[in-house]
Amino acid sequence: MKKIIDILKEKVSEGFVKAGYSEKYGFITNSNRPDLCQYQCNGAMAAAKEYKKAPIAIASEVAAGLMGERIFEKIEAVNPGFINITVSGELLAAQAAAMDTDEYFGLEMPESPKTIVIDYGGPNVAKPLHVGHLRSAVIGESVKRICRYMGNKVLGDVHLGDWGLQIGLIITEVKRRHPELPYFDDSYTGGYPQEAPFTISDLEEIYPYASGYSKEHEDYLEEAQEATAKLQEGHRGYRALWKHILDVSIADLKTNYSRLDVEFDLWKKESDVQPYIPDMVQKLKDDGLAYVSEGALVVDVTEESDKKELPPCLIVKSNGATLYATTDLATIVEREKLYQPDQIIYLADKRQSMHFTQVFRVAEKAGIAAPDVRLDFIGFGTMNGKDGKPFKTRDGGVLRLQELCQMINEEVLNKITENRDYKEEEAREIAEKVGLAALKYGDLSNQASKDYIFDIERFASFEGNTGPYILYTIVRIKSLLGKYKENGGVLEETAELLEPVSSSETDLYLTLSKYADAMESAYTELAPHRICQYIYELSEAFNHFYHETKILAEENGKRKASYLKLIGLVQRVLEQCIYLLGFGAPDKM
């Protein structure tokens, strides 16, 4: 289905040719003066140089030749040489009718679907999710859904941190507390217990304690480092204990991610790629890319186009230890082997930009990533409190994600019970849905790379550019259509969408028609905030139309049927958009 802007481009290009000018000047943009027109063509300004003619003269000839075309409500040339365009109601109604019958609302799918791996989440096992994990999960889930909606095969990978010193610290502390356990008896040859000797609550206490203690006691740190080495070398008891840590942690992580409506297709781990590292490192050496510098193995990544020299990528430390870069490169090796992706997208704090630049360049230089594989990094900013500093608890601690969700749910619960009388269970169910929308929309409506202030009161507001406002718009449409049905009305599938008769209806049609543009931008830019911008504009347009139009009281049957079909289409478009953002709407608020 052609977009309105493409239909206009075709017609205006014909107009330039008809007037004796090149069709290349018929490009169309959205108007930067919506009070004057909906679209504009600035081609006459550029054509004036080639044809040595006043821009207004060229624009006037083109506009005059297009007068009477049915797709234009109004087309005129204005000084110094713009062509201002207002499209006809007939075209708007036809576009909406085509959207209504199309599964993707007129959005054209890419011709060649891709296989895409999205690396997001990235928590370490044995640690609770906290506010620092929010943005990766929320943005990554939305990007995954957008890419999948566009017809691609998409795999979301949580990529757990499970192979570092934190595991050694936990093993050391468990050994100190429970030395009698069989995991620490090297002479033990029997089977290990099926049940873990700790709960997730125990782990969440053990790790911070062990981490803090190791910083003050060097012998303890050395013991933890030795435990880590033994684990990685295959110590039977430590491997069994490590598996318990994974099982307990992953079960808890799945519960907490589920509360955010975040799901991963792959629960891969750093440990999964360890077998790939020796061959990969050897290949880097054999190809002459890796060399020894101050005892460490490094690869140069600076390119001629760089304005300044970049630090080399550290592959193996002087003590033989590998690093995140090593693991990330080995992960690309594994993904190439298992999934043959066309694109890999990583989400992490934007302060890791240099790390991913180094990893991507090594992957490309060494052929670790296939030549046509696209590697993308989405670096996100920090979620800050009102003081402009990273969001923390009142006593300065790191706020758990579960606690953050509870805070915003309570704020929403208070708002929805202020003026409505709900049963407690129903109110809490609604608050959870609206709270999730407030949390996710509050994050996603910002450009990912920017820091933002987390303001619970503003995010939970039912007014303004917020998640609850979007949901309230959907619920309002549901209520309106429900009321019509309760009074005996039947929604006609064959009802005709009529040309708009008011400025608010015209604006609603026009905003609906921008759906494909919004989706294409969100997909190509990997930018969920483009969808947020669109649905806020669409919600505003609907609510303006709603307040100015007596929809159910309309006496003309065909006009009423058109109104109902139009708002039903708005509801479906909004619901599709919020699904891509990662939340849903309740039936009432």
Side-chain angles (χ1 to χ4, degrees):
M1 172 182 156
K2 286 183 182 176
K3 295 179 287 186
I4 284 181
I5 205 163
D6 294 329
I7 293 170
L8 295 178
K9 182 178 182 296
E10 267 186 26
K11 187 58 67 176
V12 174
S13 294
E14 288 174 14
F16 270 92
V17 172
K18 185 178 174 182
Y21 307 104
S22 171
E23 66 176 9
K24 69 182 180 183
Y25 295 114
F27 53 86
I28 302 293
T29 60
N30 290 311
S31 173
N32 56 18
R33 285 290 305 276
D35 54 318
L36 298 178
C37 59
Q38 298 161 345
Y39 298 92
Q40 65 189 59
C41 172
N42 303 340
M45 307 289 286
K49 295 178 181 177
E50 180 179 344
Y51 295 97
K52 296 179 173 53
K53 203 169 184 179
I56 188 62
I58 296 173
S60 297
E61 289 176 52
V62 174
L66 293 171
M67 293 285 189
E69 292 284 352
R70 293 175 66 176
I71 64 171
F72 301 118
E73 175 73 26
K74 184 179 180 182
I75 181 166
E76 62 177 349
V78 296
N79 280 317
F82 303 124
I83 299 175
N84 288 353
I85 299 167
T86 300
V87 299
S88 67
E90 180 183 346
L91 177 60
L92 290 173
Q95 284 294 110
M99 286 181 69
D100 186 61
T101 57
D102 187 88
E103 181 184 359
Y104 293 95
F105 307 114
L107 174 65
E108 292 189 2
M109 295 293 105
E111 290 182 6
S112 302
K114 298 186 290 187
T115 297
I116 303 173
V117 175
I118 303 184
D119 185 320
Y120 69 109
N124 288 320
V125 298
K127 298 180 186 179
L129 292 177
H130 56 74
V131 292
H133 295 110
L134 177 70
R135 300 211 72 190
S136 180
V138 168
I139 301 168
E141 181 68 19
S142 182
V143 169
K144 181 188 74 178
R145 294 186 183 199
I146 291 166
C147 291
R148 191 170 284 164
Y149 180 62
M150 296 300 287
N152 302 297
K153 176 185 176 183
V154 184
L155 299 169
D157 183 6
V158 70
H159 196 64
L160 296 171
D162 73 322
W163 204 237
L165 178 62
Q166 83 265 24
I167 304 296
L169 286 165
I170 292 168
I171 291 171
T172 300
E173 186 57 29
V174 172
K175 183 178 181 179
R176 281 198 157 200
R177 298 184 185 192
H178 303 286
E180 75 284 356
L181 292 173
Y183 310 98
F184 311 115
D185 182 355
D186 290 341
S187 65
Y188 181 76
T189 57
Y192 293 106
Q194 292 293 310
E195 194 167 328
F198 39 67
T199 64
I200 188 64
S201 297
D202 294 332
L203 286 179
E204 290 174 0
E205 182 272 324
I206 288 171
Y207 174 71
Y209 174 82
S211 178
Y213 193 81
S214 70
K215 291 171 184 173
E216 297 176 1
H217 299 81
E218 192 171 335
D219 58 334
Y220 185 91
L221 176 60
E222 288 176 2
E223 188 179 345
Q225 290 170 334
E226 185 181 344
T228 305
K230 283 185 176 180
L231 166 73
Q232 295 178 356
E233 289 164 6
H235 185 286
R236 184 169 167 265
Y238 289 4
R239 284 290 177 102
L241 204 54
W242 163 71
K243 189 175 185 308
H244 284 317
I245 294 170
L246 284 178
D247 291 343
V248 170
S249 295
I250 289 173
D252 182 67
L253 286 169
K254 286 184 175 180
T255 298
N256 281 287
Y257 278 126
S258 179
R259 289 194 184 103
L260 288 173
D261 200 3
V262 170
E263 291 185 0
F264 297 95
D265 306 286
L266 305 173
W267 285 80
K268 302 293 286 182
K269 311 174 293 297
E270 283 182 316
S271 58
D272 292 332
V273 304
Q274 298 306 309
Y276 297 97
I277 290 177
D279 287 348
M280 181 192 75
V281 171
Q282 188 61 48
K283 185 175 185 302
L284 290 173
K285 292 178 181 177
D286 293 345
D287 292 349
L289 292 171
Y291 65 93
V292 177
S293 174
E294 298 179 13
L297 193 69
V298 301
V299 175
D300 287 331
V301 296
T302 300
E303 296 177 352
E304 288 184 11
S305 58
D306 293 328
K307 293 181 180 178
K308 62 179 181 180
E309 188 173 347
L310 302 184
C313 183
L314 188 57
I315 304 296
V316 182
K317 293 170 72 173
S318 57
N319 64 0
T322 54
L323 301 97
Y324 281 125
T326 327
T327 304
D328 282 340
L329 287 165
T331 302
I332 296 174
V333 173
E334 184 190 50
R335 286 170 178 161
E336 283 282 357
K337 180 181 178 181
L338 298 181
Y339 313 115
Q340 298 83 50
D342 301 293
Q343 184 176 10
I344 307 175
I345 302 168
Y346 296 81
L347 284 101
D349 189 302
K350 64 183 178 183
R351 288 170 291 190
Q352 293 192 41
S353 176
M354 177 59 73
H355 166 79
F356 283 101
T357 296
Q358 292 175 317
V359 168
F360 292 173
R361 289 190 178 183
V362 174
E364 289 161 1
K365 287 175 73 172
I368 290 171
D372 55 350
V373 172
R374 177 174 162 183
L375 301 173
D376 285 304
F377 170 58
I378 301 176
F380 49 80
T382 309
M383 186 184 88
N384 297 323
K386 290 183 180 180
D387 60 359
K389 298 177 181 178
F391 203 88
K392 292 185 179 295
T393 59
R394 289 181 179 177
D395 60 3
V398 177
L399 185 69
R400 292 189 179 187
L401 205 46
Q402 186 176 346
E403 294 169 355
L404 181 71
C405 292
Q406 289 169 348
M407 285 167 57
I408 202 157
N409 287 352
E410 288 299 322
E411 180 73 22
V412 170
L413 183 64
N414 292 335
K415 287 183 181 294
I416 64 176
T417 54
E418 276 177 6
N419 304 312
R420 299 284 178 94
D421 187 21
Y422 289 113
K423 291 180 180 178
E424 184 176 348
E425 185 179 350
E426 183 183 29
R428 290 200 174 275
E429 283 180 8
I430 294 171
E432 280 188 17
K433 280 198 169 185
V434 179
L436 184 62
L439 185 68
K440 287 193 167 186
Y441 191 91
D443 188 305
L444 294 171
S445 56
N446 298 279
Q447 190 171 337
S449 61
K450 294 183 178 178
D451 299 346
Y452 74 93
I453 301 297
F454 185 84
D455 184 338
I456 286 184
E457 289 182 15
R458 183 170 70 83
F459 287 1
S461 174
F462 283 48
E463 298 176 356
N465 189 10
T466 68
Y469 173 71
I470 305 300
L471 296 193
Y472 191 72
T473 302
I474 295 170
V475 170
R476 172 172 271 170
I477 299 173
K478 285 183 178 181
S479 175
L480 199 63
L481 295 175
K483 187 176 179 181
Y484 176 71
K485 290 177 187 176
E486 285 170 12
N487 292 329
V490 177
L491 295 173
E492 303 171 31
E493 286 188 21
T494 57
E496 183 184 359
L497 282 163
L498 303 177
E499 294 182 29
V501 291
S502 66
S503 60
S504 62
E505 189 180 6
T506 298
D507 188 43
L508 184 55
Y509 270 114
L510 193 63
T511 308
L512 261 176
S513 73
K514 296 176 183 176
Y515 174 80
D517 284 324
M519 286 299 145
E520 287 170 5
S521 294
Y523 175 55
T524 56
E525 298 172 29
L526 303 176
H529 75 277
R530 296 294 187 193
I531 296 177
C532 294
Q533 290 170 345
Y534 173 72
I535 57 175
Y536 177 57
E537 185 182 347
L538 183 58
S539 296
E540 286 275 82
F542 166 76
N543 285 309
H544 189 206
F545 169 71
Y546 169 82
H547 287 299
E548 288 196 353
T549 310
K550 294 179 179 178
I551 298 172
L552 297 184
E554 172 59 50
E555 294 181 357
N556 183 299
K558 285 190 174 183
R559 177 62 58 184
K560 182 193 285 189
S562 176
Y563 286 160
L564 293 169
K565 196 176 189 70
L566 175 61
I567 67 172
L569 175 58
V570 172
Q571 178 192 332
R572 286 160 51 216
V573 167
L574 287 173
E575 287 177 330
Q576 178 61 63
C577 288
I578 65 171
Y579 170 77
L580 296 177
L581 296 176
F583 55 89
D587 291 325
K588 57 183 179 178
M589 285 170 69

